[in-house]
Amino acid sequence: MFTIVLRVIIIFLIVLILVRLMGKRQLGELQPFELVIMLIFADIATIPMTDSSVPLLLGVIPLITLVLLQYLLSLMSRKSIFLQKLINGRPVIVIGPNGIIYQNLKSLNMSLDDLQEALRGCNVSNFDEVQYAIVETNGKMSIILKKENCPITLKDMKIHSEESALPLILIDDGRINKQNLSLTLLTIDKIKEILNNNNIKSIKQVLVMNIDNNGKIYLQTKNKKGMVINIKFDGGKNW
């Protein structure tokens, strides 16, 4: 009996350490491959706890292997945009400026009831309040409200403003997203010019750079404070 209790305590402590090493995401924020690893993780951990005939080491090695696999896949997805989309998938817009995008909803196997439930979870009561609704790669929904439905609205203050825009990421952790860049009609030379004008010598220094279809750019280098830049921009009609 004492042996079983001791094995449970050891496995529990090992699992606790390994889960902490895997990161601080909540269960609802896990990427699909991370959720699969966690489910297998839990199943494997119970075997050496309940079966004393299984050597403790043989129970620990698969757990460590899964943690290394999770770290490797996370590293690969950070280094390659293609692998990031392959491993994690991509966000899907289910509501746009023209309303519900039925084909995208169908591709996610979501019903209108599912969509309405997700909107209620974002404190939105009706479809017409939403400018964009995006199902993220972890399954959560993000909402961009129409300007007149924001908590403190510009409409109430009688201030004219352009409609809410969906930004595109141009630079992700030192890497240019060429697909998004082509949508904006900007060139790499233009990107470098913007960086040089803000004393940034290399694309590798940039943590994130995105642009909305009104020409507003959010730019942040690694370990530095972010900045907002506005440029004259004619490519915002492409998305």
Side-chain angles (χ1 to χ4, degrees):
M1 179 67 72
F2 176 76
T3 302
I4 293 176
V5 172
L6 184 60
R7 288 166 70 94
V8 169
I9 293 173
I10 292 173
I11 291 295
F12 171 77
L13 292 175
I14 290 172
V15 169
L16 180 61
I17 292 169
L18 293 178
V19 169
R20 288 295 301 273
L21 290 174
M22 290 174 69
K24 293 182 178 290
R25 291 183 196 262
Q26 297 179 11
L27 186 61
E29 297 174 346
L30 295 177
Q31 297 293 343
F33 80 91
E34 292 174 323
L35 179 59
V36 170
I37 286 176
M38 288 299 294
L39 292 174
I40 299 173
F41 206 82
D43 200 36
I44 291 175
T46 60
I47 296 174
M49 284 184 178
T50 56
D51 190 352
S52 58
S53 65
V54 177
L56 197 60
L57 186 62
L58 292 183
V60 173
I61 289 175
L63 297 176
I64 295 175
T65 302
L66 283 173
V67 172
L68 293 175
L69 177 61
Q70 186 267 347
Y71 175 79
L72 179 62
L73 289 174
S74 296
L75 182 64
M76 290 169 59
S77 68
R78 290 199 302 270
K79 295 297 182 182
S80 168
I81 293 174
F82 171 76
L83 288 175
Q84 187 178 60
K85 291 178 179 178
L86 184 65
I87 294 171
N88 297 335
R90 66 178 67 191
V92 178
I93 299 173
V94 291
I95 299 179
N98 296 322
I100 297 170
I101 304 174
Y102 175 72
Q103 289 301 325
N104 290 355
L105 201 66
K106 187 177 178 182
S107 70
L108 293 172
N109 198 26
M110 286 183 69
S111 67
L112 289 173
D113 286 339
D114 295 331
L115 179 58
Q116 203 164 32
E117 181 181 343
L119 291 180
R120 288 196 298 269
C122 297
N123 297 318
V124 175
S125 59
N126 211 338
F127 300 125
D128 63 358
E129 299 176 30
V130 179
Q131 179 73 3
Y132 289 101
I134 306 112
V135 177
E136 306 291 358
T137 56
N138 59 15
K140 297 187 72 174
M141 181 169 287
S142 301
I143 299 294
I144 298 175
L145 294 173
K146 291 181 177 179
K147 62 182 180 69
E148 63 266 22
N149 294 303
C150 294
I152 300 177
T153 67
L154 298 176
K155 182 178 180 180
D156 292 340
M157 300 173 68
K158 301 185 184 302
I159 297 175
H160 175 73
S161 177
E162 296 293 334
E163 194 60 86
S164 300
L166 183 66
L168 291 179
I169 291 181
L170 301 180
I171 302 178
D172 177 359
D173 197 7
R175 294 170 287 117
I176 287 186
N177 188 316
K178 294 181 179 178
Q179 181 178 356
N180 287 350
L181 188 65
S182 66
L183 289 175
T184 65
L185 303 181
L186 295 174
T187 63
I188 293 179
D189 288 338
K190 180 62 177 178
I191 297 296
K192 289 180 178 178
E193 178 187 331
I194 294 170
L195 297 182
N196 287 330
N197 290 340
N198 290 276
N199 299 316
I200 301 171
K201 304 302 181 185
S202 170
I203 291 173
K204 295 292 184 183
Q205 295 177 249
V206 178
L207 175 63
V208 62
M209 178 181 182
N210 69 12
I211 186 170
D212 68 17
N213 52 19
N214 297 316
K216 185 173 78 173
I217 292 173
Y218 178 80
L219 175 61
Q220 182 177 349
T221 56
K222 298 172 184 178
N223 302 318
K224 297 286 186 178
K225 185 178 179 180
M227 65 184 82
V228 175
I229 306 163
N230 289 286
I231 64 171
K232 291 183 178 180
F233 183 59
D234 298 322
K237 299 178 181 179
N238 295 320
W239 80 92

